[in-house]
Amino acid sequence: MGATGGIADFDALRRAMAENSEEPEGPARNARAEQLLAEAEKLNIPLAVVEALGHQLKVYNYSSEKDKMFVPFARLLRLWDERPGDFDEYETHSLYWVFKWMSAGMLDQPHIPLASVEKWLGEMEHRYRLAGHSERAVRSAEFSVAAHIGDFPRAERAYAAWLAADRDRMADCHACELHGQGGWQLRNGRDAEALELWRPVLEGEYSCAHEPHTVLASSLVPLLRLGRTDEARAHHLRGFRLVRPMESMRGAYADHVEFCALTGNEARGLELLAERPAYFTDAGQPRSRMDFLAVVTLLMERLTGLGLGEQRVPGPAGRAWSAAELAGHARAEALELAARFDARNGTSYVGDRVRERMDQRPLADRLPLGVRAARTAPAGPVAPVVRAPAQEPPSLSELLAEARRLSDTLQPHALEAWAAVAEAAESTEVDAYVRAEVADHTAMGRGPEGAELFERAAELYAQAGDEGEAIAARARAAYVRALAGELDVATAAIGEPYDRILALYADEATGVRQTASVLMSRARILMRRVHERSEGAGEAEQAVRELLALVGGRGGSDVRLVSRAAEGRAMLAELAEHAGDGERAAELFRQASAQFVGAELPWFAVEYEVRVAALAHEQGDMAEAERALRAALEHGGPHVEAVGRAQLHLQLAEVLGGRGAAEEAAEHALQAAHWADEAGESSTLGAWARHQLGGLLLRQGRFAEAAEVLESALADLSAETHGDGAVVQTQWWLGDCLSELGEHHAAAERRLQAAEIARHWPEQHDHATLAHLAAESLGNAGLAAEADRAYARAGELWRAMGNVHFLVRSLRARAWLALRTEAGTAGARRLMTAAVTECETALTGLRDPAARERLTGELGHTHRQFGDLLARSVPEDAQDAAIQDAFEAALAETTAAIAVFAELGADGLHSRTGAELAAGWLEADLSRPADAAARARAVLDAYRDADPEDDTVRARRAEARQLLEPAES
């Protein structure tokens, strides 16, 4: 911001106020407005004081110090009553306009009596009537008063009168009016009607300085209540981005915190609170502070209810806060403010609404947002075991029966059930067989470290007289040794159990189950040799086929035997894949999956469908890859661990994105990010999922949402973990989003950061493109000198790569920039001449017809832009001779463009006629109506047989007729 000195005249004051208006909302901008008022008073110009007071009033209104508005307005009103002639038309309009701000501002201040508010409303009505303004703004203000105090009959009358009154210059903009009207529907429990009223604002038909910011925030809870969670998520990401930099929007900010508290996104809610510490204490607008403290209470009590009351949280400065402490503090403060409003209003309406808001229950356990957020609520098991409430804990026999049922039918969580048996058995004498079962299943949960416990189980089975199960347990011990890397030990160890089980089975001294278990352990050990050492494939296949011969056709209702058969078939698939027969492998994996699904054990099929998807991907069969991944997600249901679910969703997102289904792909990328966060993989798999999600949202034109997600991804993406290509692509996409959102300076920063990484790559095309895009953003941000340097760097890279098209475009862009820098018109001409020369030189000797046609078009556009540049480069105070010379030069370049486009025939038709019309207008400006008419007729002749429905044809014909009018009149 400028210094207080140097305000020597009215123009300097106006420039200073305009500069201050562009500064961020807040106390610093307000202080500067106060300084500028003091400077205005020194100028001894009444209108200067009026404008400075108006500026001060505006910055107060758009800040946390809204309570300061009343003093400058009172002074403005006094000046108007005493000397209305000191106000010009604009300041007169502004004075009446801010009457509405005073009405709302008084309602926001509980120390202002309701009688004073009503008196002011009458004053506003009187003055509007004398000035000839419609009642619309007055009735809107009356509605606000009645709605605030809970006088519903009066509010309904005022609402109807508001809508019935004529719209005039004093009425709020359409966007603000629709926000207020939708808010009334909301208060009456009509969520769908509110959202329908807000639709034109949400869709961008109407907007203003604070819309769609507030409508997006207000829509969050009704959307959740209606179950429209996808829209609610989008509105949060899009809306919070708009609200974040605006200090005056504490109420809308509170709506976003509330959304987080109601959707299981408590951690994000805490992040939002941490961004705005002053919101806890800023006292300039008590009503928005009350609203903010109400949702702080909601969030903190939610955390406390989740058992996180002792967690450190952001709060008012000066001390550390736990969630429980802040919950109590915020509730007391919010209710104290509500009580002051209710005392002023003579009703309990404000307090009732605040209590209702603080006591809301969550509307979603967890709504994934796509942005990174830690899980505050403890995550339960993926598929919890649900038991009916019992009067007393189950007995050991009941626990044992349940554990056996789950393991016999291969159900998930069987090992947890056996753990419960083990705990209950510690205080009870149990027989050897039960102890064997407990040891056996405990070993299964230990993976490679379970060998010794399996051996112990074998001893206990033997003591209990079950020799077959003892042998099977020893076979399992051998297999887990293979898992631990002891392949030779495992291979040797499986020999004796294998021989013994076959002998017992031949003597009918053991059953198919135990025999199949040993054969499976042996096959698994031999398969590991194949995978780890690439040896013994024939022996492994023989072992698998021996297993299949035993269990084939014997399964029936015995899911254990069906499972053995399915796994054996999958082993054959692995051997086929090892041998390079991907097609055979995929078919066998599909058969294994189908067997598990047929046995109602779909969760075992997930692994095999994933393998099918990988094989299909290798073979370029994306349709089969998509089918298999969908099947894996369906079969796994709630039984797949969080990290596995994240991987499946991410793979499916990539396949869908590859075939152009960006919307569905984004849904899966969103789920991938969510499950990665649940799995504690936010910075690895989660970052990659957010990277993909951001790109998919960008492809759909959802720029604000994409920007939020991509910024979140960049917090975790690293070249070491994800590759520098992912970092560059994310920065690139984010730059594109920011550019579309009009945040050009930020877009330039992202593009320059990406370009710096790409600068070190062997292939320089991305580096050049990013430098070019960064230059474009710098230019759009008004940084002409910086943009010129970036374009110059890009041009050097394009030249080194031999890319004439983009070299020429960088020169043209620099030429336009030169008009805004010290280089001026002379520099612009030099650069545009260089662009023409580059095209003409490259065309010399170029033989490829297609390349020649493209470059000829580039030359035509360069001449055309040269002409436009020359015509626009004439200073406003230029002499007639200088204008004549500039227009003649512009006409020469435009005529050259026409000739070049003519070489392209039908492909250059629209470009040629556009240049012909531009030349015609130049002829007219040079007072040559006949020549202008001739060019217009040439355009009409060119389109004599053209399609009349073509938009370009219609526009060109209309413009040509307009150019002809002076000649024909």
Side-chain angles (χ1 to χ4, degrees):
M1 277 184 270
T4 56
I7 307 297
D9 53 38
F10 200 176
D11 287 341
L13 176 70
R14 283 174 165 166
R15 285 195 300 271
M17 289 191 295
E19 290 170 5
N20 195 44
S21 294
E22 296 301 314
E23 292 296 324
E25 295 178 350
R29 186 170 75 157
N30 295 352
R32 176 61 171 155
E34 292 161 7
Q35 294 168 352
L36 291 174
L37 175 59
E39 293 292 322
E41 289 167 338
K42 297 175 185 177
L43 297 177
N44 199 29
I45 300 174
L47 182 58
V49 174
V50 168
E51 290 190 12
L53 283 166
H55 174 66
Q56 188 182 73
L57 202 158
K58 181 177 180 180
V59 299
Y60 283 155
N61 183 61
Y62 293 115
S63 80
S64 61
E65 298 180 310
K66 290 179 184 283
D67 55 334
K68 292 185 175 181
M69 289 192 302
F70 303 109
V71 171
F73 183 75
R75 185 176 171 190
L76 269 175
L77 198 57
R78 187 172 67 252
L79 289 174
W80 169 259
D81 288 339
E82 293 172 356
R83 297 172 59 90
D86 289 344
F87 288 69
D88 62 14
E89 182 181 356
Y90 177 81
E91 293 303 327
T92 300
H93 175 270
S94 296
L95 177 73
Y96 279 94
W97 182 266
V98 297
F99 263 86
K100 300 179 294 182
W101 294 359
M102 295 304 107
S103 299
M106 288 179 177
L107 281 180
D108 292 343
Q109 307 292 332
H111 69 276
I112 298 179
L114 191 60
S116 298
V117 177
E118 295 285 6
K119 180 180 177 183
W120 177 256
L121 193 60
E123 177 78 6
M124 178 181 175
E125 181 173 8
H126 174 68
R127 286 178 179 265
Y128 268 47
R129 187 181 300 114
L130 288 178
H133 297 310
S134 164
E135 281 196 344
R136 192 174 182 94
V138 177
R139 299 284 78 85
S140 173
E142 181 188 6
F143 162 77
S144 298
V145 173
H148 170 66
I149 65 177
D151 185 346
F152 275 50
R154 182 187 181 193
E156 286 285 10
R157 292 193 300 273
Y159 183 85
W162 168 21
L163 268 61
D166 292 336
R167 280 188 59 84
D168 67 352
R169 295 177 66 212
M170 286 300 117
D172 281 341
C173 74
H174 283 290
C176 287
E177 283 205 333
L178 288 173
H179 180 233
Q181 292 162 21
W184 182 237
Q185 301 303 318
L186 214 59
R187 288 200 197 185
N188 286 281
R190 297 190 286 264
D191 289 347
E193 290 85 344
L195 290 164
E196 181 59 27
L197 272 169
W198 290 336
R199 185 175 51 78
V201 184
L202 295 170
E203 293 179 356
E205 184 178 344
Y206 301 122
S207 64
C208 68
H210 278 185
E211 295 297 353
H213 314 43
T214 55
V215 163
L216 285 164
S218 298
S219 72
L220 296 172
V221 172
L223 285 169
L224 289 173
R225 284 197 293 251
L226 292 170
R228 292 160 61 176
T229 52
D230 289 345
E231 292 172 76
R233 174 194 304 111
H235 288 194
H236 170 62
L237 294 177
R238 178 181 159 207
F240 183 67
R241 188 171 192 86
L242 293 172
V243 168
R244 178 187 274 139
M246 301 182 74
E247 187 211 36
S248 63
M249 302 198 71
R250 180 164 54 184
Y253 201 98
D255 291 341
H256 287 279
V257 176
E258 177 183 41
F259 169 82
C260 294
L262 296 176
T263 57
N265 287 287
E266 298 88 0
R268 179 166 172 83
L270 294 176
E271 291 173 5
L272 268 55
L273 295 185
E275 287 190 32
R276 284 290 187 186
Y279 276 174
F280 289 98
T281 51
D282 281 346
Q285 190 186 28
R287 183 152 60 156
S288 72
R289 181 165 179 257
M290 175 184 69
D291 290 337
F292 182 75
L293 290 169
V295 300
V296 170
T297 305
L298 172 69
L299 177 59
M300 296 305 138
E301 292 185 352
R302 171 68 178 152
L303 288 170
T304 303
L306 292 169
L308 300 169
E310 298 307 309
Q311 179 173 326
R312 288 283 296 274
V313 294
R319 56 160 289 187
W321 294 91
S322 70
E325 290 168 340
L326 185 56
H329 170 80
R331 179 175 280 273
E333 292 272 307
L335 290 176
E336 189 275 331
L337 284 166
R340 288 168 56 195
F341 278 107
D342 283 342
R344 187 270 300 272
N345 299 339
T347 69
S348 65
Y349 185 67
V350 173
D352 293 342
R353 284 179 58 79
V354 166
R355 289 182 185 88
E356 180 183 327
R357 192 172 196 183
M358 292 191 295
D359 295 339
Q360 291 176 94
R361 305 305 304 159
L363 296 170
D365 173 58
R366 178 74 182 276
L367 177 62
L369 301 179
V371 293
R372 182 182 183 181
R375 175 72 164 171
T376 46
V382 174
V385 179
V386 179
R387 294 190 179 90
Q391 295 299 318
E392 56 186 45
S395 66
L396 175 59
S397 61
E398 290 171 329
L399 290 172
L400 186 58
E402 176 67 0
R404 285 172 174 166
R405 183 189 69 79
L406 292 174
S407 56
D408 282 348
T409 55
L410 299 176
Q411 296 300 305
H413 308 292
L415 293 183
E416 288 95 321
W418 280 106
V421 171
E423 183 178 352
E426 287 178 359
S427 57
T428 308
E429 189 68 31
V430 295
D431 62 34
Y433 197 86
V434 172
R435 285 185 285 135
E437 288 178 290
V438 169
D440 202 3
H441 289 92
T442 304
M444 291 177 191
R446 294 188 181 177
E449 299 174 359
E452 292 183 4
L453 205 49
F454 276 128
E455 296 287 1
R456 175 60 181 155
E459 294 171 5
L460 291 167
Y461 280 128
Q463 287 178 26
D466 192 335
E467 186 62 22
E469 204 60 60
I471 295 170
R474 275 195 287 275
R476 287 190 281 275
Y479 173 56
V480 297
R481 293 193 191 281
L483 289 179
E486 302 175 44
L487 264 177
D488 293 333
V489 172
T491 304
I494 196 63
E496 194 237 352
Y498 171 66
D499 292 337
R500 288 188 61 197
I501 202 72
L502 289 180
L504 280 178
Y505 183 66
D507 292 340
E508 298 184 354
T510 192
V512 175
R513 270 198 183 190
Q514 291 87 347
T515 308
S517 178
V518 176
L519 294 185
M520 177 57 78
S521 293
R522 180 170 180 265
R524 286 171 174 170
I525 291 168
L526 294 173
M527 286 297 296
R528 289 198 71 81
R529 287 176 60 198
V530 175
H531 291 310
E532 294 186 16
R533 298 181 180 176
S534 292
E535 63 182 31
E539 186 180 3
E541 182 174 351
Q542 184 180 357
V544 174
R545 293 197 180 280
E546 184 179 9
L547 167 69
L548 291 172
L550 174 69
V551 299
R554 290 176 178 266
S557 60
D558 190 333
V559 295
R560 281 180 174 269
L561 296 183
V562 174
S563 172
R564 301 297 188 203
E567 187 177 345
R569 202 163 297 279
M571 288 177 173
L572 291 179
E574 291 175 13
L575 290 168
E577 186 179 9
H578 183 75
D581 190 348
E583 191 173 331
R584 171 69 175 156
E587 179 57 33
L588 287 165
F589 279 131
R590 280 192 289 268
Q591 291 176 13
S593 173
Q595 280 186 282
F596 274 124
V597 173
E600 298 183 0
L601 301 171
W603 47 89
F604 287 116
V606 173
E607 176 187 353
Y608 304 136
E609 293 290 3
V610 170
R611 299 288 290 273
V612 171
L615 288 165
H617 202 283
E618 288 176 11
Q619 295 160 14
D621 187 350
M622 292 298 103
E624 174 61 7
E626 181 180 333
R627 182 212 62 77
L629 290 167
R630 288 187 188 279
L633 277 168
E634 178 187 350
H635 296 332
H639 305 298
V640 179
E641 293 296 326
V643 68
R645 214 182 292 197
Q647 290 167 336
L648 286 173
H649 280 294
L650 186 53
Q651 289 177 51
L652 186 52
E654 291 173 350
V655 171
L656 290 167
R659 72 166 172 83
E663 189 170 342
E664 187 184 0
E667 293 174 10
H668 286 285
L670 174 69
Q671 290 298 322
H674 165 69
W675 288 109
D677 289 344
E678 292 287 294
E681 296 286 341
S682 291
S683 62
T684 51
L685 186 60
W688 183 256
R690 277 180 268 280
H691 158 82
Q692 294 283 11
L693 174 59
L696 290 162
L697 291 170
L698 170 61
R699 282 166 59 180
Q700 296 174 62
R702 296 160 65 177
F703 304 117
E705 296 167 65
E708 285 290 303
V709 171
L710 292 168
E711 285 172 348
S712 182
L714 280 171
D716 290 314
L717 281 173
S718 68
E720 295 73 25
T721 303
H722 304 93
D724 56 4
V727 178
V728 166
Q729 183 64 78
T730 305
Q731 296 274 26
W732 193 328
W733 282 336
L734 181 53
D736 291 348
C737 291
L738 295 170
S739 179
E740 293 287 347
L741 293 169
E743 299 176 36
H744 299 298
H745 196 284
E749 289 181 0
R750 295 300 185 180
R751 288 167 166 175
L752 289 170
Q753 288 166 4
E756 180 58 26
I757 298 172
R759 182 170 68 88
H760 303 287
W761 293 354
E763 216 311 309
Q764 288 288 284
H765 186 272
D766 286 343
H767 179 203
T769 304
L770 285 161
H772 199 111
L773 289 170
E776 181 181 294
S777 293
L778 289 165
N780 289 334
L783 302 170
E786 292 87 342
D788 181 71
R789 287 195 294 272
Y791 273 125
R793 175 61 182 146
E796 292 170 6
L797 293 166
W798 294 128
R799 185 186 298 281
M801 294 166 57
N803 191 323
V804 180
H805 291 272
F806 280 96
L807 168 60
V808 167
R809 290 172 193 179
S810 67
L811 287 167
R812 292 198 309 242
R814 291 182 66 199
W816 285 105
L817 284 169
L819 294 179
R820 295 154 51 189
T821 68
E822 294 179 359
T825 304
R829 285 184 178 226
R830 282 195 300 273
L831 287 161
M832 203 63 89
T833 300
V836 170
T837 302
E838 291 289 350
C839 280
E840 291 175 340
T841 302
L843 278 167
T844 304
L846 184 61
R847 299 186 180 281
D848 177 38
R852 187 172 184 84
E853 183 174 326
R854 286 196 301 273
L855 195 53
T856 298
E858 200 73 69
L859 175 60
H861 289 299
T862 304
H863 278 300
R864 171 67 197 276
Q865 284 199 35
F866 201 169
D868 290 345
L869 180 142
L870 291 168
R872 297 182 195 179
S873 65
V874 183
E876 292 183 7
D877 57 354
Q879 300 296 316
D880 288 347
I883 296 172
Q884 175 92 7
D885 290 345
F887 281 11
E888 291 286 5
L891 181 59
E893 291 295 336
T894 308
T895 302
I898 295 166
V900 173
F901 287 135
E903 295 178 28
L904 299 175
D907 290 339
L909 176 61
H910 290 330
S911 297
R912 176 168 65 85
T913 55
E916 192 82 68
L917 288 167
W921 292 114
L922 285 168
E923 300 276 21
D925 288 336
L926 289 165
S927 302
R928 300 169 188 164
D931 293 336
R935 292 189 182 276
R937 291 190 188 97
V939 171
L940 293 173
D941 288 344
Y943 286 125
R944 180 173 289 117
D945 300 320
D947 178 6
E949 299 304 313
D950 184 289
D951 289 341
T952 303
V953 172
R954 282 208 301 265
R956 293 280 195 272
R957 283 174 170 169
E959 188 177 350
R961 293 189 190 101
Q962 184 183 359
L963 187 57
L964 272 173
E965 285 176 4
E968 294 178 348
S969 60

